[in-house]
Amino acid sequence: MASPKRRLQGLVAATITPMTEHGEINFSVIGQYVDYLVEEQGVKNIFVNGTTGEGLSLSISERCRVAEEWVTRGRNKLDQIVIHVGALSLKESQELAQHAAKIGADGIAVIAPFFLKPWNKDILVNFLKEVAAAAPALPFYYYHIPALTGVKIRAEELLDGIQEKIPTFQGLKFSDTDLLDFGQCVDQNRQRQFAFLFGVDEQLLSALVMGATGAVGSTYNYLGKKTNQMLEAFERKDFSSALNYQFCIQRFINFVVKLGFGVSQTKAVMTLVSGIPMGPPRLPLQKASREFTDHAEAKLKSLDFLSFTDLKDGNLEACS
Amino acid sequence: MASPKRRLQGLVAATITPMTEHGEINFSVIGQYVDYLVEEQGVKNIFVNGTTGEGLSLSISERCRVAEEWVTRGRNKLDQIVIHVGALSLKESQELAQHAAKIGADGIAVIAPFFLKPWNKDILVNFLKEVAAAAPALPFYYYHIPALTGVKIRAEELLDGIQEKIPTFQGLKFSDTDLLDFGQCVDQNRQRQFAFLFGVDEQLLSALVMGATGAVGSTYNYLGKKTNQMLEAFERKDFSSALNYQFCIQRFINFVVKLGFGVSQTKAVMTLVSGIPMGPPRLPLQKASREFTDHAEAKLKSLDFLSFTDLKDGNLEACS
Amino acid sequence: MASPKRRLQGLVAATITPMTEHGEINFSVIGQYVDYLVEEQGVKNIFVNGTTGEGLSLSISERCRVAEEWVTRGRNKLDQIVIHVGALSLKESQELAQHAAKIGADGIAVIAPFFLKPWNKDILVNFLKEVAAAAPALPFYYYHIPALTGVKIRAEELLDGIQEKIPTFQGLKFSDTDLLDFGQCVDQNRQRQFAFLFGVDEQLLSALVMGATGAVGSTYNYLGKKTNQMLEAFERKDFSSALNYQFCIQRFINFVVKLGFGVSQTKAVMTLVSGIPMGPPRLPLQKASREFTDHAEAKLKSLDFLSFTDLKDGNLEACS
Amino acid sequence: MASPKRRLQGLVAATITPMTEHGEINFSVIGQYVDYLVEEQGVKNIFVNGTTGEGLSLSISERCRVAEEWVTRGRNKLDQIVIHVGALSLKESQELAQHAAKIGADGIAVIAPFFLKPWNKDILVNFLKEVAAAAPALPFYYYHIPALTGVKIRAEELLDGIQEKIPTFQGLKFSDTDLLDFGQCVDQNRQRQFAFLFGVDEQLLSALVMGATGAVGSTYNYLGKKTNQMLEAFERKDFSSALNYQFCIQRFINFVVKLGFGVSQTKAVMTLVSGIPMGPPRLPLQKASREFTDHAEAKLKSLDFLSFTDLKDGNLEACS
């Protein structure tokens, strides 16, 4: 059975996998990265080897080494470390789950297999169950992202009776804008202590009002502090402030989305904001263009999102 | 110029077009329908000849007669009557706009043309502008529903500088779950008195927190009262009550969505709840199955959504 | 019953609707257009008011007048004239069908309704049946174009037993690349004298080998002669010649497709090749850019597709 | 440089990976499988670890062992053995490519990465190039299947100048119905000795006329003989016979497609036809239902596709 853990809540940063200019993993900066998240962004939970971490672009052995490094560096500093162990191959997913348990991770998460796809809810649950069974002591999270996987099974249906199949089930990362599905996940599982982690950063506020207990996303690497301010405003029912924070965050995301925003660009933005070199992505991705980086930097400054700027005064657009 | 109208706000019912068993329009019940909305549901605004009203399945002359009947019956009872005048043919759309002005409607709304599609924002605005120009005294609303039209132009980009092109522009019906786009529509147009009407009923609460000023939808025909209670709870910052109301509404929609829920089924549900015969839809739609109606009725009862039931006491699922 | 007509075969030009610079229909050039098709392109069948003809962008009265003009001008010159009478409104579709019969058209064609969509084959057949019944003496053709309508019902299933429902059914325009579906339409209806008209011009050869009896398309307005040469080569089993013709046509289409190719661009190309002014399209389309027209003209010349050029000699790419 | 190999042509069976009831690979029947393909189906080329072989559901080490077994068993019996080495991780794909070279495979094939997707043609080519470079002596094939990968880059554009980037490039498996794209791949690369292998079995005839030099597919495991008869008829320009064979094959595929047809069902059908136990698929797939298998068997018999039946005489539907 899963160790009785506090429910995962608040912000969870989907970690970037730092790389060298040659596309090799740059383990050396992960310690610094941990400190940055905790000290500068106030983020104490991480989601490792997910989409943002290029988890599926890494080899199995690389995924293990990355997970291990985060667990080692995060010990006594981070609150919870969830390792994404989803893979197209069930056997490899199980291998990753066993490894996560061995190194002392706090939980595992799995995405629906997305090449050959499960036909229905039961088959998907069976797949997830086989992975969860490989790490029977770890809390299990389902990573729901239908737009990327093409698996249209509704999360609300998946959760129906899931604890009988997967006793370690403790929540989901819901990366979709269907808040009927999300809302019903919350509504129908109130008695259970599941974590309902929303994964669409640019509209987190809309999920908080629908019962989200936390959030997993890439922007919390560099906008964690701002987002925490939004969470606090929401907690104290100061909705106009919460909305102002959300709009500020949206202005940035809305801007970069139009330039083309993905993992490559996230690496560039994180490097800009944190000063920690994230490096380029690995193929099939390509380094963000210089043009993107310049535009993003200008926007970050105009929004006062770079701690080292003091454009705040008299900056109409500034969001601090 | 547009007559200085109060901003359209609160709930707007997307009206059903009542039909006889032979698929002819049943004008005779529209007066009763108006009274039902006002007295039983507390809904005083309507959106006529939209998707729910099978507007595009009617002939142009039928659309005119339906609009006229609603305006006649709604006079001194309803607050605002918006006529959807969108059509694939610009000329027909203009004809409908002129007619709406002639009969004294309070506004017109237009969907993006969706067979031959505008390539970009400017072409779409030009199309909308030509329609708006046919009714220069009426407030103009854009009906944004990308999933149905296939027109992916973001609303936030469309609104950028729209008043220079369409001086009568007064808001939009936003029928999509992209709350980044919706949020930025609100954020970037705060100074303007636009109506930001959300069109995804099952997650209205998530749009209210993002700045929605009202809502247009089919469920407000029979769940208007419940939804008004949600709006009131939200107004007084009683979020847990607002969420309870939203969840109740979601339970119903979530249930019928799984059975297949569209205009046909909406007609059946409205007949059940209001007691006013809405009749079958017209081809290419088909009457909802008896099976659907039975299941829907049972669910409505279990949720205590049928005023004539008193299942409330001891009904755990009841939502009143 | 349908008048005993020769089966529609060979090439059918999907006619453009000529317009003035102000977007009004330019009836004056239709007579010249008829002569051009017959004399210069060897095309004697037409499909009026379809996608290429902006049929759904015209008002109902405009559609009637355009149909009438083609019938009048085409008399004793054209072989068969099919009028597309599809519309979102069943009543308007029936009105157009009656009009087509009245003016003496040779057949009617109908697209699946695509806003509110039929749930299944039977509902679609019922819709088509109601339209066909409005013109009981005219051959009826179904216009299958799932990519545009979003109606995924397979043509092969639609044809199963269709003559019991629609006695005037005489064939279909199949505008899709699913040649399993197309092949099974042919295979399962061999005894019937249906017309199997393929609608994807750039790969007509692949449908001929699968049993197509003809083709309907926009490129036959200006590449009819070339395509007829392909048909003749195929008839005489000269496959390498047929393939050469197909490749030539593909080179042009492949080139313009990359520039963005739709109805607007078709109007520009037809104006270039025929010398007859087709004018701009009507909103929601916009006139093809000057840049497109220049590139298209250069390509047409390089392929020797402009009759008035004699670049043939020593032109390696020339296709005549 | 690639060893000067005869161009891969004719039919290539996309091999199934036989499994035990417990989902472990059943290596023991692969020798028998090789003999069956050669002796019963007349198929002497195979494509290992592709979609049909559940390649992406296997671990890397399993993929290596499967490839090795096919190479060992196929030696001196099969003509060419192509190993699919595509993976989401470039490093793993390179590892598989090196292994394929080491064991003496005749070629490697790679699918476009489909989770994080290449933005454009150049990035995709760079990814493929890195894999090809890991096996510089092996012919390289690109596996184009946009519907499964979501990578919409046209094959014709990919092939433009590809030999400068990938000197070992020798052809593509084109699994799509866009025969404009396919035709232009052929047309623009006539001088080069590329293999243009079509991957949509149910419409192979339409690609043969467009210049296909061969085909890769799952149905050639059990319909190879029938398909070879179609190829021969096409070769001798007996088109009506070729079309009859294609229609026969389509009747079967059209039938099973309606029941739901994928890898699981292919395993069941191959077991039926060959008598060799293919076993169930591995999760996320599930064994084909008994109902499917019964219906498929009846259809195979009615079409006379089971060598052990002699329903031919007086069987109107029989296709032998």
Side-chain angles (χ1 to χ4, degrees), chain D residues 48-62:
Chain D
V48 176
N49 288 335
T51 307
T52 303
E54 298 172 81
L56 291 153
S57 299
L58 307 178
S59 69
I60 298 300
S61 62
E62 286 179 316

Side-chain angles (χ1 to χ4, degrees), chain B residues 225-239:
Chain B
K225 199 170 166 186
K226 283 259 171 318
T227 308
N228 275 319
Q229 292 171 313
M230 181 176 83
L231 296 183
E232 290 149 16
F234 185 81
E235 273 314 304
R236 63 173 187 270
K237 297 198 171 193
D238 175 356
F239 293 101

Side-chain angles (χ1 to χ4, degrees), chain A residues 154 156 174 178-190 196 198 207 210-212, chain B residues 202-203 243 246-247 250-251 254:
Chain A
R154 300 179 72 238
E156 167 262 320
F174 190 95
D178 179 351
L179 293 171
L180 169 63
D181 189 12
F182 183 74
Q184 285 304 289
C185 287
V186 175
D187 181 34
Q188 296 172 20
N189 295 280
R190 292 176 170 195
F196 299 107
F198 197 59
M210 206 65 86
Chain B
E202 57 269 34
Q203 65 174 75
L243 186 53
Q246 181 69 93
F247 282 160
Q250 286 193 339
R251 283 175 212 161
N254 195 47

Side-chain angles (χ1 to χ4, degrees), chain C residues 154 156-157 177-184 186-188 190 202-211 234 237-240 243-244 246-251 253-254 257-258, chain D residues 154 156-157 177-184 186-188 190 202-211 234 237-240 243-244 246-251 253-254 257-258:
Chain C
R154 299 179 71 237
E156 166 263 318
E157 295 182 21
T177 63
D178 178 351
L179 293 170
L180 169 62
D181 189 12
F182 184 73
Q184 285 305 288
V186 175
D187 182 34
Q188 295 173 20
R190 293 175 169 196
E202 55 270 33
Q203 65 174 76
L204 174 55
L205 184 59
S206 65
L208 289 176
V209 75
M210 205 64 86
F234 184 81
K237 297 196 169 193
D238 176 356
F239 294 99
S240 70
L243 186 54
N244 280 332
Q246 181 67 92
F247 281 161
C248 266
I249 291 162
Q250 285 193 339
R251 283 175 212 161
I253 297 177
N254 195 49
V257 157
K258 293 179 188 176
Chain D
R154 301 179 71 237
E156 165 262 319
E157 294 181 23
T177 63
D178 178 351
L179 293 170
L180 169 62
D181 189 11
F182 183 74
Q184 286 304 288
V186 176
D187 181 34
Q188 296 172 19
R190 292 174 168 197
E202 56 270 33
Q203 65 173 76
L204 174 55
L205 183 59
S206 65
L208 289 176
V209 75
M210 205 65 86
F234 185 81
K237 297 198 169 190
D238 176 355
F239 294 99
S240 70
L243 185 54
N244 280 332
Q246 180 69 93
F247 282 159
C248 266
I249 291 163
Q250 286 193 338
R251 283 175 211 161
I253 297 176
N254 195 50
V257 157
K258 293 178 189 177

Side-chain angles (χ1 to χ4, degrees), chain C residues 65-86:
Chain C
R65 280 180 284 133
V66 168
E68 201 157 352
E69 187 69 14
W70 281 103
V71 169
T72 306
R73 299 299 171 188
R75 192 166 290 123
N76 308 323
K77 291 178 172 178
L78 294 172
D79 188 350
Q80 293 198 36
I81 299 174
V82 174
I83 311 297
H84 175 252
V85 301

Side-chain angles (χ1 to χ4, degrees), chain C residues 131-149:
Chain C
V131 179
L138 286 187
F140 182 92
Y141 302 91
Y142 170 56
Y143 177 10
H144 180 69
I145 184 165
L148 261 184
T149 61

